[in-house]
Amino acid sequence: MKRPATRIIAFAGIAAMALSGCSATPEGDESSAPAATSQQAASGSYTEREVTDGTTTFMVVDNPGDGPTLSYGAESGITLLEEEIDGATYAFKDMNANGELDTWEDWRVEATERAADLADDMSIEQIAGLMLFSSHERTPQDGLTDAQKTYLSESNLRAVLNAAGSDAKVTVPWVNEMQAFVETLATEDTPYVPVNFASDPRSTAGSGGYNAEGADISRWPSNLGLAATFNAEHTQNFGEMASAEYRALGIATALSPQIDLATEPRWLRVGGTFGEDVAQNTELAAAYVDGFQGTGGEDVWGPESVNAMIKHWAGDGPGEGGREGHTDAGKYGVYPGDNFDEHAAGFLGSLDSAAVMTAYSIALNADGEPLFGERIGTAYDNGRMDILRKDNAYEGVVVTDWGVMSGSKDEGAFFGMAWGAEDLTPAERYLEVLGTGHDMFGGVNDATFILEAADLWQQKFEAGELEVDAETRFQESGARILSMLFNPGLYESAFLDPEESAKVLASEDKIEAGYAAQLDSVVMVKNDGGTIAAAEAADWSDKTVYIPRSYSNGFASAFGPGEYTEGPSIDVEVAEQYFGTVVTDEAVTDADGVVTSYTAPDLSNVDLVLVGMDSPDNGGNFSNIGHDLETDEWYPISLQYRPYTADGENVRKESISGDLLPDGTKQNRSYFGNTSRIANEADLDAFERAVAAVEASGKDIPVVTVVKATNPVIPAEFEAESDAIVVGFGTSDQALIEVSLGLYEPQGRLPIQFPENMDTVEAQFEDVAKDMTPYTDANGNVYDYGFGLNYAGPIAG
């Protein structure tokens, strides 16, 4: 698919070129011009109709031909302007009530020109509001709240992070109510700006994402699962279909794709990446961005387009020991292999993305010194930001990750990830980050400190320390940010018709495409004696399966204590769709409902054992994993279920990373001699209990191990006693069951190495891909990057 540097508006056809001086194509750029031969001459006039979602009433304007659909609140005061073009009458919204069609109101004009025109009319105070990206909003069922009204009106915030589920019945009214409210805030002196709703990934079938168990939107593999298909078409399809669903929920910006290179296998966020191979990462990132930012399968902006935000520049994957940059424990990324350029490469292949989110971590070389001279997080790091802005001339929006503008010791701060900038005042932090080329600040609802930074900027300009004044600098960001609203057409139509949304969400074609990608993503790594072979669903309909139970203790985090969970290792209700009988363990629990023991059933009549195993759970992003704050003990993150004591010869006794101490020495974050902490060790207990029950039965019952992976695992703990092993990356239990039963021949291959043991994990470099010794099973198969089996044997690739 062609990827022009400048996109056109999908609805701007030949009629849009008729008005003199309003070309939709930049001078000299014919690559983005609409093909006149494909357009049909429009006739007639626009029509209006009234729509309500039960809470908000708004008007919908249908323009002739390929003119865009417009919408505006019934009580907004917005009026329509008319233009005669080639005999047809088109409508435009007069959004500032001046009775004239201004450049920024003209949907025929290219988005960047409209954005620049409007930004020129905005004050620093108004643009400061555009720079805000809200904290997580999780309760659309509450409607428009007083707190939301406050940040929309008093701070001019317009970028709202929707962190709720995908229930259109509560989301659509909330979106429309908020859009109607911001229309009422527009005055002659305060230009209208619609709300740009955003979302983290919400379509993953098996793990992560919002509301992953619902039937509200189509379900797909995780990014790692899409990589396991080794078929970029699935990623392209995902982008095209998921973006249409996002728009049906009012979401116009995706805080994705996450394209950090997964070179450190213990890193807690590997499951959100496209794996460890830079070429594959670059290919899939481009397919994702193209899919999200296009409309209807075409590489043009339109009503199904969603701004893509690649993250986290320039790669947050190489945390020392796998520790995660959301917390102090993982605030350092290390590059012992001198491999920074490879981590940046995937980002540089997708610079037509509307936005880039920057990383948390402080980047250190093998000697523990800053890669670019500043011992500071990416948002504050001129070296890393200059590569993006200056060396590669990126002109899209750059956004900090959430919490980067707060220090962990700031008064009242819930989060604080201003790594290396903790001693600056809040206003000084904003000044520094504006200086590195950022435009927006994640998780900030109040513009107070941005405005203080504007004053500091102006003072430095007047003192000759900066080249541009504060107003110019803010308008530069304002124009970039506004392009994210003009490109997808929010200025034309920000309201949602609930009937139209219902047609788009979880439509049959999207569900089928998502499930096809899930099936293709499942990897079979072992299949002794053809344990898994082609079969029909009827072959299993009278059979009995045993699925053991397991539990996880969870980990405490900034959000509260760890959550104890318990249940069958594979969804029993789903299994019952395929088997005549499903049996599981009997559990004995204490007074708090915590399991104290399991007893496996009699397997005399069992035909198959399916054992589900999640990746070894080391904790979450906000759990400060790797450092016990009470004892000040550093401990290892592990890829095995049983306790791992880090006392091998490859374990660093002196860490690369560490804080600089007042006496001039460096803190040692080594975990040498200490032991891992795994929340779901019981998964391996469940496997061993199942194997023992098979032996006790005296029958030759196949044991199929179903690994639900978010990281690489070490198969040595379960491979030898498994007859077959299938691996899913963010897939549904249904897809895993169908592959395990032979109802679909496996197509997937490993997008990451599965290591031989923890010793090779310790020996590898955090920043270097594919540098471990992969696990070799009893059949001689090597679980390396790209390995996978079908019924005939290893899949060529």
Side-chain angles (χ1 to χ4, degrees):
M1 176 177 288
K2 191 173 184 180
R3 293 153 54 81
T6 303
R7 295 172 182 263
I8 62 172
I9 302 172
F11 43 71
I14 191 169
M17 308 303 294
L19 192 65
S20 175
C22 289
S23 170
T25 307
E27 184 176 354
D29 182 8
E30 297 183 0
S31 66
S32 61
T37 57
S38 67
Q39 306 295 326
Q40 298 294 323
S43 61
S45 178
Y46 68 89
T47 59
E48 282 196 86
R49 51 194 169 89
E50 186 178 279
V51 176
T52 183
D53 59 27
T55 300
T56 301
T57 299
F58 57 96
M59 305 304 296
V60 175
V61 181
D62 295 306
N63 269 309
D66 62 354
T69 298
L70 313 179
S71 65
Y72 61 94
E75 306 297 328
S76 68
I78 286 178
T79 57
L80 297 180
L81 302 172
E82 296 181 355
E83 290 281 340
E84 294 285 338
I85 307 173
D86 290 345
T89 303
Y90 292 83
F92 298 78
K93 293 195 295 184
D94 184 3
M95 291 176 272
N96 59 4
N98 68 353
E100 299 179 3
L101 183 59
D102 298 301
T103 298
W104 66 272
E105 295 173 323
D106 190 340
W107 43 257
R108 296 166 296 184
V109 178
E110 201 270 331
T112 55
E113 185 179 345
R114 296 175 72 186
D117 179 63
L118 181 55
D120 284 345
D121 291 338
M122 298 181 76
S123 66
I124 285 178
E125 289 76 14
Q126 291 159 0
I127 294 174
L130 297 182
M131 292 176 165
L132 301 171
F133 222 126
S134 86
S135 54
H136 296 64
E137 294 289 1
R138 306 181 189 276
T139 57
Q141 64 272 17
D142 294 342
L144 183 61
T145 65
D146 288 342
Q148 292 161 4
K149 289 179 181 179
T150 296
Y151 65 53
L152 293 168
S153 60
E154 295 183 10
S155 286
N156 299 309
L157 182 150
R158 290 297 184 273
V160 175
L161 175 52
N162 179 354
S166 301
D167 183 352
K169 292 181 180 179
V170 298
T171 300
V172 167
W174 177 58
V175 167
N176 287 338
E177 190 177 10
M178 192 175 289
Q179 296 291 10
F181 178 74
V182 298
E183 281 187 340
T184 68
L185 300 178
T187 67
E188 184 177 354
D189 298 322
T190 304
Y192 164 63
V193 181
V195 175
N196 178 11
F197 288 94
S199 175
D200 282 308
R202 58 176 55 238
S203 303
T204 303
S207 62
Y210 301 124
N211 198 24
E213 298 303 318
D216 37 26
I217 57 175
S218 59
R219 298 294 169 184
W220 300 72
S222 65
N223 276 7
L224 199 57
L226 290 170
T229 70
F230 281 78
N231 180 355
E233 185 176 346
H234 281 307
T235 303
Q236 183 84 30
N237 288 341
F238 167 69
E240 292 173 1
M241 293 183 172
S243 63
E245 291 182 310
Y246 276 33
R247 290 303 298 272
L249 292 168
I251 297 164
T253 295
L255 306 186
S256 57
Q258 182 194 337
I259 59 174
D260 308 274
L261 206 57
T263 53
E264 167 47 60
R266 295 163 291 187
W267 186 43
L268 299 180
R269 302 189 71 179
V270 166
T273 74
F274 287 124
E276 60 182 316
D277 182 81
V278 65
Q280 185 183 34
N281 181 293
T282 303
E283 176 189 28
L284 296 183
Y288 193 115
V289 170
D290 278 348
F292 264 81
Q293 294 188 168
T295 278
E298 299 296 324
D299 193 23
V300 290
W301 289 101
E304 293 181 355
S305 296
V306 170
N307 299 296
M309 185 183 296
I310 54 176
K311 63 183 187 184
H312 309 83
W313 170 262
D316 220 9
E320 186 168 22
R323 297 188 290 263
E324 163 53 32
H326 278 84
T327 63
D328 178 84
K331 67 183 178 185
Y332 293 102
V334 296
Y335 294 82
D338 193 24
N339 201 33
F340 172 86
D341 289 347
E342 190 166 277
H343 285 261
F347 293 87
L348 300 180
S350 291
L351 291 187
D352 59 343
S353 63
V356 172
M357 184 188 296
T358 51
Y360 284 122
S361 58
I362 300 169
L364 304 178
N365 64 19
D367 297 322
E369 296 299 323
L371 280 184
F372 297 97
E374 296 180 281
R375 198 179 188 85
I376 205 159
T378 310
Y380 301 86
D381 190 337
N382 285 286
R384 278 177 281 183
M385 292 308 303
D386 283 353
I387 295 172
L388 182 65
R389 283 297 197 198
K390 296 181 180 179
D391 298 351
N392 290 280
Y394 181 68
E395 286 300 322
V397 174
V398 178
V399 186
T400 73
D401 209 333
W402 269 236
V404 167
M405 305 313 299
S406 299
S408 57
K409 297 180 181 178
D410 288 1
E411 183 178 354
F414 184 59
F415 298 125
M417 286 82 102
W419 306 134
E422 292 92 342
D423 293 337
L424 298 178
T425 68
E428 289 170 340
R429 290 185 199 135
Y430 283 92
L431 178 70
E432 290 295 317
V433 175
L434 284 168
T436 64
H438 282 68
D439 304 296
M440 299 184 76
F441 306 96
V444 181
N445 289 4
D446 188 303
T448 299
F449 295 135
I450 301 177
L451 294 174
E452 290 181 10
D455 291 339
L456 292 177
W457 185 288
Q458 186 64 21
Q459 291 170 21
K460 286 182 172 290
F461 168 73
E462 293 173 359
E465 299 176 34
L466 291 171
E467 295 180 359
V468 298
D469 62 279
E471 183 177 46
T472 301
R473 173 63 185 88
F474 272 62
Q475 288 178 342
E476 177 185 49
S477 283
R480 291 172 181 153
I481 297 164
L482 286 167
S483 291
M484 293 178 66
L485 285 78
F486 283 112
N487 274 328
L490 286 178
Y491 267 92
E492 279 56 70
S493 183
F495 290 86
L496 300 176
D497 183 332
E499 292 185 2
E500 294 300 317
S501 291
K503 294 175 184 177
V504 172
L505 294 164
S507 60
E508 185 175 350
D509 60 328
K510 298 180 182 68
I511 291 173
E512 289 179 354
Y515 191 63
Q518 289 185 53
L519 289 171
D520 278 358
S521 74
V522 177
V523 184
M524 182 167 68
V525 293
K526 184 176 184 180
N527 192 26
D528 263 2
T531 296
I532 299 176
E536 301 291 335
D539 298 337
W540 295 99
S541 61
D542 62 347
K543 300 295 192 295
T544 298
V545 66
Y546 164 47
I547 298 174
R549 301 174 73 91
S550 184
Y551 64 87
S552 172
N553 291 313
F555 281 90
S557 73
F559 296 101
E563 180 184 3
Y564 175 84
T565 57
E566 191 279 335
S569 61
I570 295 175
D571 192 307
V572 168
E573 290 186 5
V574 174
E576 288 174 341
Q577 300 174 27
Y578 297 90
F579 296 95
T581 305
V582 179
V583 297
T584 188
D585 300 313
E586 291 184 5
V588 176
T589 61
D590 63 18
D592 296 322
V594 175
V595 171
T596 56
S597 67
Y598 288 114
T599 302
D602 180 358
L603 303 192
S604 298
N605 296 316
V606 167
D607 300 288
L608 179 69
V609 175
L610 288 179
V611 184
M613 301 178 70
D614 292 334
S615 288
D617 182 3
N618 289 273
N621 293 342
F622 294 93
S623 301
N624 211 55
I625 296 306
H627 187 207
D628 188 318
L629 294 175
E630 293 184 2
T631 65
D632 197 30
E633 176 186 289
W634 295 86
Y635 62 89
I637 296 173
S638 175
L639 301 181
Q640 66 184 43
Y641 296 92
R642 297 298 184 219
Y644 159 66
T645 300
D647 55 5
E649 63 179 13
N650 291 313
V651 180
R652 293 184 189 124
K653 294 183 179 179
E654 292 289 332
S655 62
I656 293 174
S657 66
D659 294 341
L660 299 182
L661 303 177
D663 64 1
T665 62
K666 187 185 73 175
Q667 174 193 37
N668 185 10
R669 296 187 165 201
S670 171
Y671 49 76
F672 182 83
N674 295 329
T675 302
S676 62
R677 306 176 185 189
I678 302 297
N680 64 328
E681 183 181 348
D683 282 11
L684 186 56
D685 295 336
F687 172 81
E688 293 178 350
R689 185 168 59 256
V691 170
V694 170
E695 293 175 353
S697 74
K699 295 178 58 181
D700 185 16
I701 306 171
V703 176
V704 177
T705 303
V706 179
V707 180
K708 306 174 189 182
T710 54
N711 288 79
V713 300
I714 295 174
E717 293 180 298
F718 56 84
E719 178 270 320
E721 294 179 295
S722 299
D723 295 293
I725 302 172
V726 298
V727 183
F729 300 97
T731 56
S732 64
D733 281 6
Q734 182 174 356
L736 291 165
I737 288 173
E738 290 204 0
V739 172
S740 298
L741 300 187
L743 308 184
Y744 189 85
E745 184 167 12
Q747 309 289 319
R749 294 186 282 143
L750 294 177
I752 45 179
Q753 293 181 312
F754 276 23
E756 181 179 47
N757 50 39
M758 282 302 297
D759 186 61
T760 189
V761 173
E762 298 288 5
Q764 59 89 40
F765 286 156
E766 284 90 340
D767 61 323
V768 177
K770 295 180 279 191
D771 62 340
M772 295 187 294
T773 301
Y775 181 81
T776 301
D777 69 15
N779 299 317
N781 288 318
V782 180
Y783 295 6
D784 205 349
Y785 171 85
F787 171 70
L789 300 172
N790 57 23
Y791 299 149
I795 300 171

